[in-house]
Amino acid sequence: MASESIVVFAQFQSAVDEGFWHRFSSLKLNKLGIDDSPIPITGFYAPCSHPQVSNHLTLLAESLPSESNEQSSTAATSGGNRNRCPVPGILYNTNTIESFHALDKKSLLKAEAKKIWDDIHTGKAVEDSAVLSRFLLISFADLKKWTFHYWFAFPALVLDPPATLVDLRRASQYFSLEEAKSVSAACNEWRNSSLTADVPFFLVCVDPNSLATVKHIKDWETCQSDGNKLLFGFYDPCHLPNNPGWPLRNFLALISVRWNLKSVRFLCYRENRGFADLGLSLVGEALITVPQGRAAKTGNGLGWRDHQCLPNAVGWEQNKGRQVSRCISLAKSMDPTRLAISAADLNLKLMRWRALPSLNLNALSSMKCLLLGAGTLGCQVARMLMAWGVRKITLVDNGRVAMSNPLRQSLYTLDDCLNGGEYKATAAVKSLGRIFPAVDAEGVVMAIPMPGHPVPSQEEDNVLEDCRRLHDLVDSHDAVFLLTDTRESRWLPTLLCANTNKITITAALGFDSFLVMRHGAGPFSSNDERQRLGCYFCSDVVAPIDSTANRTLDQQCTVTRPGLAPIASALAVELLVGILHHPQGIFADGELANSSNSGSCEQPLGVLPHQIRGSLSQFSQMTLVGQSSNSCTACSSTVVSEYQERGMEFIIQAINHPTYLEDLTGLTELMKSASSFQLDWDNDDDDDDCIEI
Amino acid sequence: MGTKEEAQGTLSSTDFGVAASAFILNWNTVCSSFPPWTWVLSHHQVEGYLSLENVLLSSTQEEHSELSFPEAGKHSHQEDPIDVDDATLVHTNPCKVHYYDLHIIYCNSYRVPVLYFRAYDSDGEPLEFDEIEKDLPAYSKKALSDSKWTFITQEEHPYLNRPWYKLHPCGTSEWMKLLFHADDALAKTGVAIELYLVAWLSVVGHVVGLRIPFEMMKQL
């Protein structure tokens, strides 16, 4: 087979550093836009430096022109780095995948090959030999998906007929011991001088005394001396023992055209650990036949030496043996959403690793939270939940964002107030997505049916529909936050939560005081004989009525000290985290601050209180416990079983006739009999009369 | 190293610079056959970091790449036919090697050096962490799961602004303190700044399978 004796060159391989695509993306976005004119780039390569691994032509961030017009950075990096020999290249980036596939690869390759051919003929390639390895890159950058399609070509001029191989062996076998020593020393010197370290083509001259020198190829004429061994050396990226690397192809073309040599002795220079390795390097001899056939065809008898007669070129890089482009996805390091998620996860993991090994991040991230009310409390609770790693947040509110809201309600801005105001539920969800794109937030624009706010019969169907919706919402979530601005709007959710035994947390604000509490378990949730913890209504002796009627505007709670809502919201969320990490969960007893008698207070997150009351006027805060009441209008077994039996009919009755609840639970009786009913924890009757979202 | 810093197992940023140049000198003379560490200046040319790039840390795969001649004329896809010739040898199944870049960056909040690293395959594609994990030596995997201070996290590289892996520094000063206190004589010699990075890297480097040449350790 004829091919046995021809020189077979190992193809150049490409590597593109992540940094290249990062800089290219920013160049494209900030400077180039849709301009798709070719961009000059610089590739880097070095001699093979590992017996099993070939070196690659590498693109780095520095391969691209800098975004600002200061050229200093590229100049600084390209000066004589022995591991980064610069090679000129050109980048054709298309704006669509279709135009990427439609590029005329043959012509593009030919155009680059012609540049090499011209440089050979003009002698430029002798002065600046790196142009012999000139390369071409086509790409399509899908910046929406952070995916890059690309294809390299390393144009090689085809010798026709091909060069034949007379001899190829390890350099250590070719040279005598003495020569080898001297060649190594000379090459190392060449590689260590900042003037020549990145000059990839050179001459090795060995005189009869075995003394070797390495010279620029432009000094070829001066090396012609009888008795000298003259080798054409090049930095060989290839590691293979039987194949010279790709740069030799155009080097042979140069040698043939410039000096008309028929027999070329070449050195494939390779290294190990930064030094010449003549065991890895190869010395070979190639015979070049002047391509008579072509010469005959062109009729001028010059053949190769005719500048007008451009030889064929090959060189599109194969992808795992196939002729297809390559594709790289950098979504992991470029997609801001994914980066935000990993940063958020990391924060929580750090907390677990360093401070709270028992922190259950899965319980938090899988927790589905329902927030009733998207005002000062709702906004702040949602933010705190996200900070703890909660991903599923549903906000219910029927209000719109008003001009006074953004200052206190931390999810809104002025834009949300314009044109009559966006629905809070909708605006809050958008805002949460901007804060953390991986949040699974949902907004429900809906009023919560309230006792004491009688429903006209024509609206009854709508109200019933709202009740069912709320029922379903409570059912489909794991924890419910009651953050609305009135007492009575908390009644139905409290009942629904008691009915389904959901974790329920209430936060309510006065002017300068607040209450944050977790509701006890539902009345039918356990056979445990212990008394359940109370709910928001358990200490009341009246059923909820319309609390906003007959109030002046300031009593309708636009005024609380601004610091109050963030404090209460934060406590509400911390309370939820405490419940999630308590072995008894919703059934956990109420603990008091500083209580050392309770065994369960040894939890990593500390005590788990039932209620926290705080006052800004005193800068004080205390924990309290209140048991459930059998006469509670929201969570007692009487009320819950009534709801279970009569459903919506019962709800409508309760809404339209508030005293019905008091009659039902025996509160009416109780009030008659008890002349001085004193709550065990509430000595300050009026501090949460005015409550706000 | 100020005695106060030393007692804390930490390092000032000025001392980091001193330690870094001592380290480079030491490494490049003692282990000239290894790839060199270099000092990379930040854009503002004030601060900098140590860098060792493109290292084949674990070339466990000895297999040679399989080679074949390209099949001219056979084209998958609807791509244009591409000229290849008999003189071309294509790497059809390139050797699977993983390259590592290691950077040592000073962390102002913990006042200790931090190891940042990343890994990529031969055509430049970054490796996922589970692939990196397979490269790590067995003792490293064990250390990662056992101890608090060696956990690997992914964070933005402070100078490159791209996500890199790093060994979290929050435990570093603790064990550095132990390392120096273990030898009173060492603490008193006053050359400790120069040795800080060698000592530090002898512990940290192990996690990513980078061994400090024994010759460097002899000075300790």
Side-chain angles (χ1 to χ4, degrees):
Chain A
M1 207 176 129
S3 65
E4 274 174 13
S5 61
I6 69 169
V7 191
V8 177
F9 306 87
Q11 216 181 29
F12 228 137
Q13 291 169 277
S14 66
V16 188
D17 184 83
E18 204 185 349
F20 176 85
W21 297 122
H22 277 263
R23 181 169 304 179
F24 181 66
S25 304
S26 112
L27 198 65
K28 184 86 185 140
L29 288 172
N30 302 328
K31 196 176 171 191
L32 301 176
I34 57 159
D35 178 4
D36 59 0
S37 36
I39 304 164
I41 54 176
T42 308
F44 300 100
Y45 95 106
C48 163
S49 59
H50 193 283
Q52 266 105 42
V53 185
S54 289
N55 225 293
H56 292 230
L57 183 117
T58 306
L59 295 187
L60 306 166
E62 299 90 307
S63 296
L64 284 162
S66 124
E67 220 171 293
S68 52
N69 290 322
E70 37 179 291
Q71 295 300 315
S72 59
S73 64
T74 40
T77 49
S78 57
N81 184 333
R82 50 173 287 142
N83 293 318
R84 289 189 187 176
C85 309
V87 178
I90 193 155
L91 166 61
Y92 289 86
N93 183 65
T94 62
N95 287 317
T96 62
I97 186 78
E98 290 77 21
S99 43
F100 173 75
H101 286 304
L103 283 172
D104 182 354
K105 289 186 260 300
K106 259 187 176 170
S107 322
L108 288 175
L109 183 71
K110 198 172 175 186
E112 293 311 299
K114 181 163 189 318
K115 290 182 193 166
I116 296 171
W117 185 243
D118 290 346
D119 288 342
I120 289 176
H121 277 274
T122 59
K124 188 184 174 216
V126 177
E127 295 296 322
D128 177 14
S129 56
V131 299
L132 286 174
S133 299
R134 188 186 282 284
F135 67 98
L136 162 69
L137 171 63
I138 59 172
S139 70
F140 163 61
D142 187 343
L143 298 183
K144 288 199 181 87
K145 292 180 186 156
W146 300 279
T147 302
F148 303 87
H149 300 262
Y150 67 99
W151 201 337
F152 274 86
F154 303 100
L157 303 166
V158 175
L159 297 179
D160 185 19
T164 51
L165 197 59
V166 179
D167 179 37
L168 185 68
R169 62 177 84 179
R170 293 175 190 282
S172 54
Q173 291 167 351
Y174 172 79
F175 292 114
S176 71
L177 266 181
E178 217 175 328
E179 286 170 339
K181 225 174 166 180
S182 182
V183 167
S184 293
C187 288
N188 288 334
E189 194 188 332
W190 178 268
R191 288 282 288 147
N192 286 330
S193 157
S194 60
L195 294 174
T196 53
D198 58 5
V199 178
F201 297 91
F202 53 92
L203 297 171
V204 180
C205 217
V206 187
D207 75 7
N209 300 321
S210 304
L211 192 68
T213 45
V214 175
K215 293 186 170 163
H216 280 281
I217 53 173
K218 64 180 178 205
D219 298 330
W220 182 77
E221 274 81 9
T222 67
C223 299
Q224 304 304 308
S225 161
D226 287 344
N228 277 3
K229 284 185 188 171
L230 185 63
L231 295 93
F232 291 89
F234 70 101
Y235 295 172
D236 189 356
C238 172
H239 72 278
L240 298 166
N242 298 314
N243 301 88
W246 204 247
L248 181 60
R249 293 197 75 155
N250 291 338
F251 199 21
L252 287 183
L254 171 87
I255 293 163
S256 167
V257 169
R258 300 291 307 178
W259 300 303
N260 201 19
L261 297 186
K262 305 279 184 294
S263 164
V264 177
R265 197 166 286 282
F266 57 87
L267 167 68
C268 305
Y269 177 77
R270 301 170 183 182
E271 294 183 339
N272 195 9
R273 298 200 179 281
F275 294 100
D277 183 344
L278 296 193
L280 200 54
S281 300
L282 306 175
V283 170
E285 190 184 347
L287 289 184
I288 305 169
T289 317
V290 175
Q292 294 299 338
R294 284 184 73 90
K297 264 181 242 162
T298 54
N300 58 16
L302 286 169
W304 264 100
R305 310 198 65 185
D306 179 5
H307 189 171
Q308 300 311 314
C309 178
L310 176 66
N312 269 339
V314 293
W316 285 100
E317 189 181 19
Q318 303 254 332
N319 180 5
K320 300 188 178 78
R322 298 169 62 214
Q323 295 182 347
V324 288
S325 57
R326 294 175 191 226
C327 181
I328 183 173
S329 167
L330 294 179
K332 258 210 166 52
S333 62
M334 297 181 92
D335 177 355
T337 303
R338 294 175 75 159
L339 291 175
I341 293 170
S342 67
D345 284 349
L346 174 66
N347 244 322
L348 290 164
K349 278 182 189 154
L350 279 178
M351 183 151 68
R352 188 177 70 196
W353 285 323
R354 296 304 299 159
L356 289 167
S358 58
L359 192 62
N360 188 346
L361 296 177
N362 288 337
L364 285 160
S365 65
S366 60
M367 166 102 342
K368 289 177 248 168
C369 290
L370 177 65
L371 277 55
L372 304 178
T376 48
L377 289 167
C379 287
Q380 207 61 32
V381 165
R383 277 177 171 267
M384 293 292 128
L385 286 173
M386 289 209 296
W388 267 110
V390 173
R391 294 283 171 83
K392 173 68 193 167
I393 296 173
T394 306
L395 292 131
V396 177
D397 200 299
N398 70 333
R400 291 178 181 272
V401 185
M403 284 291 177
S404 65
N405 293 154
L407 286 171
R408 287 167 180 248
Q409 307 186 3
S410 63
L411 293 176
Y412 311 124
T413 62
L414 180 63
D415 283 347
D416 299 316
C417 313
L418 304 178
N419 306 318
E422 174 112 65
Y423 278 114
K424 284 185 178 175
T426 315
V429 166
K430 273 190 209 154
S431 179
L432 290 176
R434 276 196 299 270
I435 293 165
F436 187 60
V439 72
D440 177 12
E442 193 188 336
V444 180
V445 179
M446 182 184 100
I448 297 168
M450 299 181 273
H453 296 248
V455 182
S457 55
Q458 69 270 23
E459 276 180 32
E460 206 168 286
D461 282 349
N462 291 337
V463 172
L464 285 178
E465 180 52 35
D466 286 345
C467 291
R468 283 191 203 99
R469 236 169 129 193
L470 190 61
H471 174 98
D472 293 346
L473 281 169
V474 167
D475 218 37
S476 58
H477 287 77
D478 305 309
V480 183
F481 285 85
L482 308 188
L483 311 166
T484 48
D485 53 358
T486 56
R487 272 181 76 247
E488 59 272 25
S489 60
R490 296 160 198 255
W491 174 78
L492 181 58
T494 301
L495 166 60
L496 294 174
C497 290
N499 178 44
T500 47
N501 195 35
K502 299 287 181 178
I503 295 172
T504 313
I505 292 168
T506 283
L509 305 176
F511 168 69
D512 61 2
S513 60
F514 65 85
L515 163 71
V516 175
M517 69 181 289
R518 61 186 169 103
H519 293 189
F524 305 118
S525 58
S526 146
N527 299 323
D528 199 334
E529 290 303 308
R530 282 182 311 170
Q531 228 200 327
R532 299 181 294 123
L533 289 173
C535 78
Y536 183 64
F537 293 95
C538 277
S539 350
D540 280 349
V541 288
V542 286
I545 51 162
D546 184 350
S547 61
T548 58
N550 306 319
R551 288 223 178 138
T552 63
L553 189 64
D554 66 319
Q555 287 173 317
Q556 286 182 31
C557 322
T558 44
V559 282
T560 68
R561 285 176 66 162
L564 214 54
I567 296 172
S569 306
L571 288 173
V573 172
E574 297 297 327
L575 205 51
L576 170 70
V577 176
I579 298 168
L580 287 183
H581 285 83
H582 196 285
Q584 262 101 52
I586 193 172
F587 300 103
D589 286 335
E591 291 167 337
L592 299 173
N594 307 321
S595 69
S596 51
N597 52 343
S598 167
S600 66
C601 76
E602 295 303 311
Q603 298 303 323
L605 286 167
V607 300
L608 179 58
H610 175 223
Q611 307 178 8
I612 304 127
R613 291 193 155 238
S615 153
L616 268 182
S617 62
Q618 298 297 315
F619 283 93
S620 68
Q621 185 174 300
M622 58 182 170
T623 52
L624 302 144
V625 177
Q627 303 302 344
S628 62
S629 157
N630 290 333
S631 321
C632 177
T633 55
C635 81
S636 63
S637 54
T638 325
V639 173
V640 174
S641 53
E642 197 73 6
Y643 170 67
Q644 286 175 351
E645 279 162 31
R646 296 173 51 216
M648 293 305 147
E649 185 197 343
F650 162 75
I651 301 288
I652 289 292
Q653 197 173 357
I655 287 174
N656 287 335
H657 309 284
T659 54
Y660 166 70
L661 282 174
E662 292 173 7
D663 296 342
L664 180 73
T665 55
L667 273 179
T668 318
E669 279 303 306
L670 189 69
M671 283 196 289
K672 278 182 198 152
S673 62
S675 51
S676 62
F677 185 84
Q678 193 73 28
L679 299 177
D680 63 343
W681 50 267
D682 189 1
N683 300 317
D684 188 6
D685 285 340
D686 51 11
D687 72 349
D688 63 344
D689 277 349
C690 181
I691 43 183
E692 198 214 345
I693 29 170
Chain B
M1 182 184 300
T3 43
K4 196 176 157 211
E5 289 275 2
E6 179 188 292
Q8 302 299 319
T10 57
L11 198 65
S12 75
S13 80
T14 323
D15 284 348
F16 175 69
V18 174
S21 42
F23 178 80
I24 290 175
L25 200 66
N26 187 357
W27 177 281
N28 295 352
T29 44
V30 174
C31 349
S32 53
S33 62
F34 285 80
W37 283 88
T38 53
W39 179 256
V40 181
L41 275 176
S42 71
H43 283 304
H44 313 294
Q45 311 279 305
V46 188
E47 299 158 320
Y49 56 89
L50 280 166
S51 162
L52 178 67
E53 297 197 337
N54 216 230
V55 266
L56 276 163
L57 269 188
S58 48
S59 55
T60 42
Q61 289 96 333
E62 286 293 312
E63 70 202 61
H64 287 256
S65 47
E66 270 180 43
L67 298 160
S68 76
F69 292 96
E71 299 169 60
K74 268 195 187 176
H75 308 292
S76 56
H77 224 259
Q78 70 282 24
E79 300 291 353
D80 309 332
I82 285 170
D83 282 340
V84 282
D85 67 348
D86 292 341
T88 303
L89 181 76
V90 177
H91 305 252
T92 47
N93 185 15
C95 189
K96 284 198 178 62
V97 288
H98 294 165
Y99 295 90
Y100 282 76
D101 289 352
L102 308 177
H103 289 174
I104 300 175
I105 300 175
Y106 183 72
C107 168
N108 276 307
S109 41
Y110 288 92
R111 303 178 71 79
V112 292
V114 181
L115 183 71
Y116 283 76
F117 66 97
R118 65 167 190 145
Y120 44 96
D121 66 13
S122 56
D123 60 9
E125 177 138 19
L127 298 186
E128 306 260 333
F129 187 70
D130 52 358
E131 288 175 278
I132 294 176
E133 227 175 357
K134 286 181 211 151
D135 283 351
L136 298 180
Y139 57 79
S140 167
K141 275 173 229 167
K142 193 175 179 319
L144 285 174
S145 59
D146 285 357
S147 79
K148 275 185 178 182
W149 58 265
T150 44
F151 53 81
I152 293 172
T153 67
Q154 196 182 29
E155 263 180 60
E156 194 165 283
H157 187 292
Y159 296 98
L160 300 178
N161 303 110
R162 296 199 293 272
W164 277 50
Y165 294 103
K166 76 170 193 183
L167 283 169
H168 205 272
C170 57
T172 304
S173 63
E174 286 303 310
W175 52 260
M176 280 308 290
K177 196 158 65 182
L178 289 178
L179 219 59
F180 281 108
H181 279 223
D183 189 345
D184 283 345
L186 190 73
K188 284 175 190 132
T189 52
V191 292
I193 298 176
E194 283 76 12
L195 295 180
Y196 188 101
L197 279 178
V198 185
W200 171 83
L201 194 60
S202 70
V203 179
V204 163
H206 265 259
V207 178
V208 291
L210 175 76
R211 288 166 189 278
I212 300 289
F214 186 66
E215 292 87 336
M216 284 185 83
M217 307 291 282
K218 279 196 292 199
Q219 298 191 10
L220 270 179

